[in-house]
Amino acid sequence: MSSIPLLPGISSQMVATPRLTIHVRSSGPTTGTPVLFIHGNNSCATFWEETMLALPSGFRALAPDLRGYGDTEFQPIDATRGCRDWVDDLLGLMDTLAVERFHVVGHSLGGSVCWTLLATAPERLLSLTLAAPGSPYGFGGTKDVDGTPCWPDYAGSGAGLVNAEFARREGAGDRSEDEPKTAPRVIMNTYYWKPPFRPAREEELLSGLLSIKVRPDNHPGDKVASEHWPGIAPGRFGPNNALSPKYVGDSVERILAAANKPPILWVRGANDQIVSDASLFEIGTLGQLGVVPGWPGADAFPPQPMLSQTRRVLERYAAAGGTFRELVLAECGHTPYLEHPEEFNRALHSMLGS
């Protein structure tokens, strides 16, 4: 069923849920404690296969391709709901599989989905492990640890900032290294992990990156004009708009107010270029570096302090009765579970067994 070859020990199936038919990879005993793995943007669940196989005995790994990615039935993302389409899909999947409570592991965009899942159904989560997650305030367009928007229309976030040529090459299934600034393979090997690391399953992971559905109602998504720098505000469709703080920022107070507060593990690479306080994929950083002209300055639009925002929210979470641990891996980029699997798995397995 999977269009990408599976590692031995991984199986896959199509699961019909009330919302859509979801492609799910799985491993481990069917009676094991469930662990739900949520992949990042420009990828799919194939990225989790080694981590799934490394789970201790007694655990069941479930890794779906999110809506808009991989082999899951395509339906458009309503970005005005933030990450709630994905969360509703995942809860519908777990209901269909008769799974009431489960551990969750989310990477990058999958970490952003986790924030909304934590705000929506914390009573169903046994634990939450965040691998290089997006900020709980969304991606782009905010300027302090409390997620204050730079502009009232959230200009500087959303799909309008996606490199159109990179998206075109994704849609064309381009596996070359030609014109490296927009080559999906080069982008993956430069930013997903810290060079010179190259994964053993590079071809399968590149297939996962290329599995995102490039079409007008998904990726890169729509945009609207803005009077504010850089002249683009978020639209209504696709994953990059769904990550805008315009649509996801309400999760934080719901997380803090919830009675249920599962333990949280936050694992990140010290050299992450995608999610950081100076992200090379964020318009404030690019403006400050002079890559994008017209930057209005640090008072109006500083680089988004993504890590500081996450840490501040987790500190407030702990003060409200929850617990968290932050683990920073040296010589590591945006994908700690692939770059340093032994350290990542040690921390994850400790969380699962606690």
Side-chain angles (χ1 to χ4, degrees):
M1 295 179 188
S2 174
S3 61
I4 301 173
L6 303 170
L7 284 173
I10 301 288
S11 60
S12 75
Q13 62 178 320
M14 302 298 293
V15 180
T17 78
R19 292 176 57 80
L20 76 170
T21 299
I22 299 176
H23 178 242
V24 183
R25 289 170 174 79
S26 61
S27 65
T30 56
T31 57
T33 302
V35 183
L36 177 66
F37 290 88
I38 309 175
H39 67 79
N41 200 2
N42 298 285
S43 68
C44 75
T46 195
F47 276 67
W48 286 121
E49 291 187 27
E50 290 91 344
T51 312
M52 296 165 65
L53 292 172
L55 286 181
S57 61
F59 288 92
R60 173 70 165 171
L62 299 167
D65 292 337
L66 293 174
R67 173 190 298 230
Y69 303 85
D71 295 315
T72 286
E73 174 193 353
F74 179 79
Q75 290 191 28
I77 287 288
D78 179 356
T80 67
R81 302 188 72 228
C83 293
R84 281 175 286 188
D85 267 354
W86 289 310
V87 166
D88 289 348
D89 291 346
L90 293 171
L91 291 175
L93 170 65
M94 300 310 266
D95 289 344
T96 299
L97 297 176
V99 174
E100 179 57 31
R101 302 192 71 205
F102 47 94
H103 299 276
V104 183
V105 186
H107 171 231
S108 195
L109 175 144
S112 299
V113 174
C114 284
W115 294 122
T116 302
L117 182 60
L118 183 61
T120 304
E123 71 284 351
R124 299 188 65 172
L125 309 185
L126 296 168
S127 73
L128 183 60
T129 297
L130 303 168
S135 165
Y137 292 107
F139 197 97
T142 60
K143 61 183 179 181
D144 56 28
V145 295
D146 296 315
T148 303
C150 297
W151 307 121
D153 63 353
Y154 296 87
S157 67
L161 305 177
V162 176
N163 185 297
E165 178 61 10
F166 172 70
R168 185 197 68 77
R169 294 179 73 171
E170 285 183 297
D174 188 336
R175 307 181 76 91
S176 76
E177 297 187 6
D178 301 338
E179 299 296 332
K181 288 185 178 180
T182 59
R185 183 188 297 274
V186 175
I187 296 299
M188 182 179 75
N189 282 319
T190 303
Y191 298 106
Y192 280 33
W193 28 80
K194 184 180 187 297
F197 176 82
R198 298 285 284 256
R201 297 175 65 239
E202 179 178 331
E203 296 308 317
E204 289 84 357
L205 299 186
L206 179 59
S207 294
L209 184 160
L210 297 172
S211 76
I212 190 170
K213 303 302 183 287
V214 178
R215 44 184 289 164
D217 54 355
N218 191 61
H219 178 66
D222 60 328
K223 61 186 177 182
V224 299
S226 172
E227 63 180 314
H228 303 291
W229 184 86
I232 300 168
R236 300 174 56 86
F237 302 106
N240 290 285
N241 283 322
L243 294 176
S244 167
K246 179 176 182 178
Y247 305 127
V248 303
D250 65 337
S251 291
V252 171
E253 296 308 318
R254 293 161 61 207
I255 289 169
L256 298 175
N260 295 87
K261 289 186 169 61
I264 296 175
L265 170 64
W266 175 26
V267 186
R268 62 182 182 86
N271 309 108
D272 193 337
Q273 300 181 83
I274 296 177
V275 174
S276 78
D277 284 353
S279 169
L280 294 177
F281 286 69
E282 192 270 326
I283 196 72
T285 302
L286 297 177
Q288 186 179 62
L289 293 173
V291 176
V292 179
W295 183 56
D299 289 340
F301 210 118
Q304 181 186 357
M306 302 178 189
L307 301 179
S308 300
Q309 290 175 344
T310 296
R311 189 174 298 107
R312 173 59 177 153
V313 169
L314 290 175
E315 289 171 349
R316 293 177 66 194
Y317 185 80
T323 61
F324 82 94
R325 176 192 175 199
E326 178 182 356
L327 175 61
V328 183
L329 301 180
E331 297 300 315
C332 182
H334 187 58
T335 320
Y337 57 93
L338 291 176
E339 297 172 73
H340 295 281
E342 290 186 4
E343 292 172 272
F344 181 86
N345 289 334
R346 188 180 306 118
L348 171 61
H349 299 172
S350 177
M351 171 61 81
L352 298 179
S354 64

